[in-house]
Amino acid sequence: MTGRRVGELVGAAVLAVAVAGWLALVEVFWLPLRLFGVLVPLAVAVAVTGNLLLVAGAHRLSGSRAVGVLPALTWLLVALAATVRRPEGDLVAVGSGGLGVVTLAFLGLGVLAAAFAVGRVLTARRPAPR
């Protein structure tokens, strides 16, 4: 592997982690989104779509399975961190009432989409040598 290829992979990995981390953070703070007093599960739809597209895009951009998996791992770390109480007692991803249902859907469907996308990346055929 040439130095240029290593640089490209590192750049793609940094980009994939940065975009996935930013998107996951935005999704977590969209969990309690309400319009006209009605809870809107926009974070769930964005989590599913984002995980599917980011994993496939990172793999396609880099040509590396390892880089392709990074957005899913980053999303999982951010989403799980939101479920842990801070020292002050604050909790970002709440687990009760209607918001609890949205939070569970966010975590469950987000992980399902990430696992599906990672499975597709890991089972993708390698391109034939030229």
Side-chain angles (χ1 to χ4, degrees):
M1 189 178 295
T2 66
R4 181 178 176 161
R5 177 68 178 145
V6 170
E8 289 173 356
L9 287 177
V10 169
V14 168
L15 180 64
V17 167
V19 171
W22 173 82
L23 187 59
L25 193 60
V26 168
E27 292 164 4
V28 164
F29 285 108
W30 277 351
L31 283 172
L33 179 67
R34 294 180 188 272
L35 292 176
F36 305 107
V38 177
L39 191 61
V40 179
L42 180 63
V44 177
V46 174
V48 170
T49 305
N51 283 338
L52 291 172
L53 293 177
L54 285 176
V55 170
H59 179 244
R60 204 170 292 128
L61 173 72
S62 67
S64 166
R65 292 177 179 170
V67 173
V69 171
L70 287 176
L73 292 176
T74 303
W75 182 89
L76 183 61
L77 288 174
V78 172
L80 289 178
T83 66
V84 176
R85 282 198 188 280
R86 295 181 42 213
E88 298 84 13
D90 299 339
L91 186 61
V92 177
V94 181
S96 62
L99 184 54
V101 172
V102 172
T103 300
L104 286 175
F106 168 75
L107 292 171
L109 294 175
V111 166
L112 184 65
F116 177 78
V118 166
R120 289 191 60 182
V121 164
L122 294 179
T123 59
R125 290 186 180 177
R126 293 182 184 254
R130 294 179 184 191

